[in-house]
Amino acid sequence: MSHARATRLSRRGILAAGGALGLGAVLSACGDDKGKSSGSGGGKAAATSGPWSFKDDRGQTAKADKTPASIVAFVGAAAALHDYGIDVKGVFGPTKTKDGKADVQAGDLDITKVTILGNEWGQFNIEKYAALTPDLLVTTMFDDAGTLWYVPDESKKKILAVGAPSVGISVYDRQMTEPLQRMLGLAKSLGADTASAKITQAKKRFEDAAARLRAATKANPGIKVLAGSASQDIFYVSGSNLSIDLEYFKALGVDFVEPSASVLKASGGWFENLSWENIDKYKADVIMMDNRTSAIQPADITEATWKKLPAVKAGQVIARNPEPILSYDKCAPLLEDLAKAIETAKKVG
């Protein structure tokens, strides 16, 4: 993809193609998902009688006569709710890979027990959605305009007209801890036992991992970390602002490669795109690579310039999910993996 074409894409299109890091392969496929997955039962927590409400990050309050039980959500939000004991009936967004396995963004979801309304950008089967008689729609938001992630602009009015209230959790320009707390609050409102031993232990693990990462950065000063994403023609280098994980890691002391503000401007502040010939522009000791299916994975990169990078030659490359599943259970390992990488990294950049 040419740079000119990349800069013509909307911010929403940019994010969909490569998420909050890089364009990756543009997700341009449209239409309905044809998978055979069908809906299963609702959440584990029983619906309660009486009114329910939740104020989301748009400042809008979703309301219902009783606690929602027929929930439809963006796959990452569904995975987070699942970790808190709240199951959904339908999902949209990257749910299954080409070989039918669960996508990395599906977490521990059993994707055979949910109705997949769309697996790619632009896909959202309204008929299947309506058939689920949804009483809540949940997704994230990657901008400050309240844009519901993976809810297609062209069919948004029809989707919302089905009647289910919607909740948007912002994952834009804030640290990871804030949306984690918001998702936990949503789960609690839906009946999750947030004081359970499982959730308490996951939160403690997350807090311990954060302390470990902070200690690692202090004990190993000068370790430079680059957040990257690979596509066929372009290598993307993320700035540490805007992304919830990188902002939090930076607050814990991680020293990131930082493209200039003027360079980041072309992508709305998210990333710099480099040709494969120029990927040695920045010196890095550790490289975090986008692990989503929209990106080429490190083992599949054949470019000689990649293989020559000092961090690659030293084996100091780890995975990163630019769209973290917002549960403490799924975010704790992200902190632990980065802490370990910094603890053991050699200065090679």
Side-chain angles (χ1 to χ4, degrees):
M1 177 184 295
S2 69
H3 175 72
R5 182 182 174 191
T7 56
R8 284 199 302 270
L9 290 171
S10 67
R11 177 188 295 179
R12 196 162 186 254
I14 285 172
L15 293 175
L21 177 58
L23 284 166
V26 175
L27 302 179
S28 58
C30 296
D32 298 333
D33 182 82
K34 302 300 181 181
K36 296 182 179 180
S37 298
S38 60
S40 66
K44 298 176 182 178
T48 58
S49 60
W52 170 89
S53 66
F54 183 84
K55 187 175 182 179
D56 75 357
D57 292 333
R58 296 170 296 179
Q60 298 181 14
T61 300
K63 299 179 180 180
D65 293 336
K66 62 180 181 179
T67 303
S70 182
I71 303 168
V72 172
F74 171 69
V75 62
L81 291 173
H82 175 79
D83 284 350
Y84 293 132
I86 305 298
D87 289 329
V88 306
K89 285 190 174 181
V91 297
F92 53 95
T95 304
K96 61 181 179 180
T97 59
K98 292 180 180 179
D99 59 4
K101 296 181 180 179
D103 190 276
V104 64
Q105 291 184 254
D108 292 333
L109 283 177
D110 183 344
I111 64 171
T112 68
K113 294 183 178 180
V114 293
T115 297
I116 301 175
L117 305 177
N119 199 58
E120 299 181 18
W121 184 256
Q123 293 182 345
F124 195 112
N125 190 315
I126 301 175
E127 290 73 23
K128 285 185 178 181
Y129 176 61
L132 294 173
T133 59
D135 46 23
L136 182 63
L137 176 70
V138 180
T139 188
T140 50
M141 300 183 297
F142 275 93
D143 59 29
D144 55 7
T147 304
L148 298 177
W149 191 231
Y150 266 80
V151 175
D153 287 332
E154 61 273 14
S155 54
K156 177 182 176 181
K157 289 184 179 180
K158 291 182 178 179
I159 293 168
L160 297 181
V162 170
S166 61
V167 165
I169 301 296
S170 180
V171 288
Y172 174 73
D173 195 17
R174 61 202 62 206
Q175 294 181 24
M176 180 188 289
T177 46
E178 185 175 341
L180 269 173
Q181 292 166 0
R182 295 291 285 145
M183 188 63 76
L184 182 66
L186 175 60
K188 183 177 182 179
S189 80
L190 294 171
D193 179 7
T194 56
S196 69
K198 179 181 178 181
I199 294 175
T200 300
Q201 290 168 4
K203 190 172 183 180
K204 176 65 163 55
R205 179 184 175 187
F206 177 87
E207 292 167 349
D208 289 347
R212 177 183 174 183
L213 179 55
R214 187 186 295 276
T217 62
K218 289 182 178 180
N220 299 276
I223 296 297
K224 206 75 173 179
V225 179
L226 183 149
S229 183
S231 72
Q232 183 175 352
D233 300 316
I234 299 173
F235 185 84
Y236 302 91
V237 179
S238 178
S240 64
N241 293 324
L242 304 186
S243 297
I244 60 170
D245 60 332
L246 303 187
E247 285 202 14
Y248 186 49
F249 299 158
K250 182 171 64 174
L252 293 173
V254 177
D255 186 6
F256 282 106
V257 165
E258 296 283 4
S260 68
S262 59
V263 170
L264 292 173
K265 185 177 180 180
S267 67
W270 291 97
F271 56 83
E272 175 180 2
N273 54 324
L274 299 174
S275 66
W276 282 101
E277 292 76 15
N278 296 315
I279 65 170
D280 59 354
K281 177 178 179 179
Y282 298 106
K283 296 183 182 298
D285 305 298
V286 174
I287 300 176
M288 303 174 67
M289 289 296 290
D290 186 345
N291 71 345
R292 294 169 302 168
T293 52
S294 59
I296 299 174
Q297 297 308 300
D300 299 320
I301 298 175
T302 59
E303 300 287 343
T305 49
W306 163 261
K307 296 179 180 180
K308 291 179 181 179
L309 292 177
V312 175
K313 292 172 68 175
Q316 296 176 178
V317 179
I318 63 172
R320 174 202 174 208
N321 188 343
E323 296 182 61
I325 294 172
L326 297 174
S327 72
Y328 291 101
D329 181 71
K330 294 299 181 293
C331 287
L334 307 180
L335 292 160
E336 292 167 347
D337 290 347
L338 181 54
K340 180 179 179 180
I342 292 175
E343 288 166 353
T344 59
K346 297 178 180 179
K347 186 69 179 172
V348 296

